[in-house]
Amino acid sequence: TEGATKPLMVRLLAQPSDPVTVVVRGHAGTDLGVSPTSLTFTAGNWDESQTVHLTAQQEATEDYTNDVVDLTLTAVGGGYDGEEETVRVTIIDRDERPGAVTISIYDGQAGESDGTLRLPIELSRAVDRTVMVQYASSDVEAESVADYVSSRGIVIFEPGATRGAIAMTVIDNEVPEPTETFVVRLSQAQGATLGRSTGTGTIRDDDGGAAVVAVEDAEVLDEEVRFRVVLSPAQRVPVSVAYRTRDGTAKAGEDYEAASGVVTLAAGTVEAMITVGLLSGGLDWEAETFTVHLVSSEEAEIATAVAEATIQSTKVLEEEILAAYAARFLRTSSAQVVEALGDRFRFGADGAACAAGERAELARLGPAGWDPSLGELLGGCRMSATSYDGAFRVWGRGAYRRFHGRDGWTLRGEVTTGMLGADYQWHGGWLAGVLLSHSQGDGSFTLAPESGEVSAGMTGVYPYVSYIGAGWEVWLSAGAGRGQAQVRAMKTDLASWFGAMGVRGRWVSNGRIGLHYRGDVLVTEAELTGPAVTAEAYRIRAGVEAHARIRGRLRPYVEALVRRDGGSAETGTGLEVGGGVRVDYPAWGLKGDVHAQGLVMHTADAFTEWGVSALVQVGRRTEGMMVRVRPSWGPARSMYGRQTIQDVVPVGADAYRTEVEWGYGVPWKDGTARSIVGVTQMSQGRVYRLGGEFHPADPVSFSVFGLMHGQATLGVNVRGMLQY
């Protein structure tokens, strides 16, 4: 392949009387490099293979074609008077047309007694579609019916598959004959273009001919490498083969133990193993290779002299994945804590905030078949119990968020966090409290050819303090968490610390327009005690909020935040924007809100989030007729938003839903009771709702809402607020 190096093994077939020089020619003016260009054999080492390294240069221009170079090896001296051998070298072009995938077939060989000859067929890369190609065999020296069974057909690659083989039946006749070949040609590929379209099948004769030995490639993770040596046919006497190892990208003494010696196939056997020890301390999660070479054999002819081993360390892979996932898990759970603290100081006086229709909620648009967790049902809701003088408050919040990252692999995850806080506020503007949180994360990773599940859980305690000045406020928080993380069989303890601060202030406000600035910083780090690695992440955001009041009834608002992410996870700069409009006409009994927010730009790939929601309500808040219409639309990976059980109906990618509710409120027991009947029309179908609310006189309010999802799922949301 272009840019790669492969060995060409050369040896003599008979012992010379004097030293013999073998000169390699034919590469001048081509993209093939040869080193060395001459070899010297003596009467003592004539049967030991020597190596010529072939290097294919990377072409400066893309021509999408393979090059063929015919090398001529000429032996002179010691009785070899100008003996020549020709070796054809194919340089496989690495250039691939944008979006293209190629399909290639390779050579294979087998003895007559094997019964089957396999020719490997491969795609240049995995694709998410079905690929098909036709094949047909044709004679060269070998003849169909007499030496093999001709075949034609179709090879099908399912989505994600890259390797296959065409199995040809060879015929074991009793006629001694030389080695013979036939070819198999590919044609009419669907879903791919043809790369190497012709493969050669070589049939070795077993009838009175010499024994043939070959070595096969090996692949292993962590343990020792075992190369399979195959003999054809079985012999009545032992067959011995000398071998030695050679470096590739893996190095002897660092990644594996150098080995050399003799492997013996006992009489009547057809296979044996060459074992090479690995040095696990030097292995990396990236695949590395080395080769084993069959040097010589007095009892058999060497058909395949070189085999390649691919080694990889699962332990190092698991440590890398745990560190990468921990950084993203920490960033996500810490961001949920920061959002909760920011909302606590920003909306702390609002009391409970979960009911649909009282303010705009961002619709969470999940994939079809979505099974929501508790954090998803409560995401964004706040509940609080306050004293009349506002000195002491208990509050809670649930949050749910997904992330998708790339760092040499693909890493996906979701984090659900539940939080409970308590604080005390003094009259001088100071407030202090403590937040208890528990986060649970689940995810997956993909690194060809490896994939698996990864998870983490953490409980944290975060004291916080804030101060409200004249038109501004600032808050600080710091704390620590403990938990566990796991990938495959590796499970380790997780210890983290967290620090954050935020600020918000008023620039302009005259009753009709307002302009506020806001910003926050979070820094978090964790230590994984098992693999002894550290993961860290930080995020900085700063921006402005602006709103306007038009005739006291129409209130548009916009916000924009610039963010900077860094640490062990994705790094880069992005822009978050949001905005909407609130409408309130009490005389008409009309109330509405439209809101949109999302990450519109980021220099990293893992952030593609947005969401849109709208609300229209006709009728009084409690008594009388009420009609509510609420459309939502957006992609499957939408932005994180506040959410109640009334918002958990899933919607697919780039889909929509429209909610319609009818209600009627009546006075009842010094309060107001309202029944609600609704229907949600989605792109996937229809969902019906049935629920009710009861608002007694202060200091207590209470509501129950049921959600009937299809015919099998019933959800209930209960909300309450107590003032004392």
Side-chain angles (χ1 to χ4, degrees):
T1 305
E2 284 185 356
T5 299
K6 283 210 169 184
L8 171 63
M9 310 306 297
V10 181
R11 67 183 177 91
L12 303 184
L13 296 180
Q15 185 174 12
S17 57
D18 295 307
V20 176
T21 300
V22 177
V23 179
V24 184
R25 297 184 178 89
H27 61 285
T30 71
D31 292 329
L32 184 67
V34 176
S35 177
T37 57
S38 65
L39 305 171
T40 300
F41 294 86
T42 66
N45 70 352
W46 65 273
D47 58 347
E48 295 182 4
S49 296
Q50 297 189 40
T51 304
V52 175
H53 296 283
L54 307 179
T55 302
Q57 304 298 324
Q58 179 69 48
E59 293 182 339
T61 60
E62 298 179 350
D63 58 5
Y64 310 111
T65 59
N66 296 338
D67 297 328
V68 175
V69 179
D70 288 328
L71 296 180
T72 301
L73 283 69
T74 305
V76 179
Y80 286 78
D81 297 326
E83 296 285 344
E84 291 187 350
E85 179 70 17
T86 300
V87 178
R88 171 158 289 186
V89 181
T90 301
I91 301 177
I92 301 174
D93 188 84
R94 294 182 60 182
D95 300 320
E96 185 173 282
R97 293 179 176 85
V101 59
T102 59
I103 185 169
S104 301
I105 186 172
Y106 299 96
D107 301 338
Q109 57 179 311
E112 285 184 351
S113 60
D114 293 339
T116 301
L117 187 153
R118 299 173 65 85
L119 293 95
I121 181 170
E122 296 182 359
L123 291 181
S124 59
R125 60 181 173 85
V127 295
D128 57 357
R129 61 180 181 272
T130 300
V131 176
M132 296 185 295
V133 64
Q134 297 185 20
Y135 72 92
S137 63
S138 59
D139 297 348
V140 184
E141 295 93 2
E143 298 179 357
S144 60
V145 180
D147 300 305
Y148 76 103
V149 178
S150 63
S151 177
R152 64 175 62 242
I154 299 176
V155 178
I156 299 175
F157 288 84
E158 297 295 339
T162 59
R163 294 185 177 182
I166 297 174
M168 302 292 296
T169 300
V170 296
I171 298 174
D172 189 3
N173 56 44
E174 298 180 357
V175 179
E177 52 191 354
T179 298
E180 299 172 317
T181 62
F182 63 93
V183 295
V184 176
R185 292 184 174 88
L186 305 181
S187 63
Q188 299 186 27
Q190 297 183 22
T193 59
L194 290 178
R196 193 175 190 267
S197 61
T198 302
T200 300
T202 302
I203 304 174
R204 301 187 302 270
D205 183 70
D206 297 333
D207 303 302
V212 177
V213 68
V215 62
E216 298 178 347
D217 291 346
E219 182 173 348
V220 70
L221 298 173
D222 289 338
E223 305 296 334
E224 61 186 13
V225 180
R226 295 167 63 86
F227 294 90
R228 183 169 176 259
V229 180
V230 181
L231 175 66
S232 177
Q235 300 295 298
R236 297 181 180 179
V237 296
V239 174
S240 299
V241 184
Y243 69 89
R244 65 167 65 117
T245 57
R246 292 193 177 177
D247 290 349
T249 54
K251 305 301 181 184
E254 297 180 5
D255 303 308
Y256 72 97
E257 297 176 352
S260 62
V262 177
V263 59
T264 301
L265 295 93
T269 63
V270 294
E271 69 175 53
M273 292 294 177
I274 296 175
T275 302
V276 179
L278 297 181
L279 303 175
S280 59
L283 297 185
D284 194 3
W285 63 268
E286 293 182 342
E288 297 179 321
T289 62
F290 70 94
T291 54
V292 65
H293 297 249
L294 301 186
V295 178
S296 63
S297 174
E298 296 182 358
E299 298 85 13
E301 177 184 349
I302 299 177
T304 303
V306 181
E308 185 178 68
T310 302
I311 59 177
Q312 189 176 23
S313 172
T314 57
K315 181 178 180 181
V316 176
L317 169 64
E318 290 168 354
E319 293 177 358
E320 294 279 352
I321 292 296
L322 272 182
Y325 178 78
R328 291 158 177 81
F329 171 78
L330 284 173
R331 182 184 62 193
T332 305
S333 59
S334 299
Q336 291 171 332
V337 172
V338 169
E339 293 298 332
L341 291 174
D343 278 0
R344 162 64 188 92
F345 305 126
R346 185 180 178 187
F347 301 110
D350 292 347
C354 280
E358 296 184 359
R359 62 180 174 82
E361 299 286 0
L362 297 178
R364 179 69 190 179
L365 308 179
W370 175 41
D371 183 15
S373 64
L374 179 62
E376 292 172 274
L377 299 181
L378 299 179
C381 295
R382 303 181 306 281
M383 56 185 180
S384 64
T386 65
S387 64
Y388 284 123
D389 59 10
F392 179 76
R393 179 174 286 110
V394 177
W395 59 280
R397 178 178 173 127
Y400 173 85
R401 181 172 291 184
R402 291 180 177 178
F403 60 80
H404 179 192
R406 299 183 182 91
D407 188 10
W409 51 66
T410 299
L411 192 62
R412 296 180 175 87
E414 56 185 32
V415 179
T416 302
T417 299
M419 291 162 278
L420 181 65
D423 50 54
Y424 187 86
Q425 184 173 6
W426 289 268
H427 294 292
W430 288 95
L431 180 148
V434 63
L435 174 65
L436 176 66
S437 77
H438 178 76
S439 299
Q440 182 65 43
D442 295 289
S444 63
F445 70 90
T446 301
L447 171 63
E450 299 296 314
S451 63
E453 303 297 322
V454 59
S455 62
M458 183 179 67
T459 300
V461 178
Y462 309 105
Y464 58 87
V465 62
S466 74
Y467 179 77
I468 301 176
W472 59 273
E473 60 181 330
V474 63
W475 60 268
L476 299 169
S477 178
R482 293 291 185 273
Q484 288 186 326
Q486 182 174 1
V487 55
R488 289 180 172 173
M490 179 177 288
K491 189 174 184 179
T492 181
D493 292 332
L494 184 152
S496 71
W497 66 268
F498 162 89
M501 68 170 294
V503 62
R504 185 174 185 270
R506 182 176 65 247
W507 270 341
V508 178
S509 180
N510 61 7
R512 288 188 174 274
I513 61 173
L515 182 64
H516 293 76
Y517 60 86
R518 57 174 292 198
D520 54 58
V521 179
L522 75 86
V523 180
T524 182
E525 180 177 306
E527 292 184 357
L528 304 175
T529 57
V533 298
T534 301
E536 60 182 15
Y538 69 84
R539 188 192 70 182
I540 304 172
R541 299 192 307 174
V544 296
E545 300 175 356
H547 69 269
R549 187 184 300 273
I550 303 176
R551 296 183 180 179
R553 298 183 176 90
L554 188 65
R555 190 173 185 177
Y557 59 94
V558 294
E559 58 186 5
L561 296 169
V562 177
R563 62 182 286 175
R564 174 69 183 179
D565 298 275
S568 306
E570 291 82 12
T571 61
T573 304
L575 175 64
E576 292 182 7
V577 298
V581 60
R582 298 187 181 96
V583 180
D584 189 2
Y585 280 82
W588 295 2
L590 174 64
K591 195 174 188 180
D593 196 340
V594 178
H595 183 79
Q597 184 177 354
L599 189 61
V600 298
M601 181 195 71
H602 203 281
T603 54
D605 295 333
F607 305 100
T608 54
E609 303 173 336
W610 63 270
V612 177
S613 68
L615 170 68
V616 176
Q617 180 174 321
V618 180
R620 296 181 179 273
R621 179 177 179 273
T622 55
E623 300 180 11
M625 179 67 68
M626 182 273 295
V627 178
R628 181 181 299 153
V629 180
R630 180 158 130 175
S632 300
W633 63 94
R637 292 189 180 90
S638 67
M639 62 177 291
Y640 160 76
R642 302 183 180 90
Q643 180 176 330
T644 73
I645 194 170
Q646 301 179 70
D647 300 317
V648 303
V649 180
V651 177
D654 298 324
Y656 68 90
R657 69 177 182 181
T658 301
E659 303 171 13
V660 181
E661 292 181 348
W662 300 267
Y664 194 84
V666 296
W668 186 56
K669 292 185 178 181
D670 297 328
T672 302
R674 181 169 63 190
S675 60
I676 298 176
V677 177
V679 60
T680 300
Q681 180 65 47
M682 306 179 299
S683 56
Q684 294 94 339
R686 185 174 297 171
V687 175
Y688 297 93
R689 301 163 177 261
L690 179 63
E693 297 178 348
F694 177 57
H695 299 272
D698 289 337
V700 179
S701 65
F702 181 78
S703 66
V704 177
F705 199 96
L707 170 64
M708 180 66 72
H709 185 186
Q711 299 179 353
T713 304
L714 176 65
V716 177
N717 186 45
V718 179
R719 176 178 67 90
M721 181 177 68
L722 173 64
Q723 293 180 333
Y724 58 92

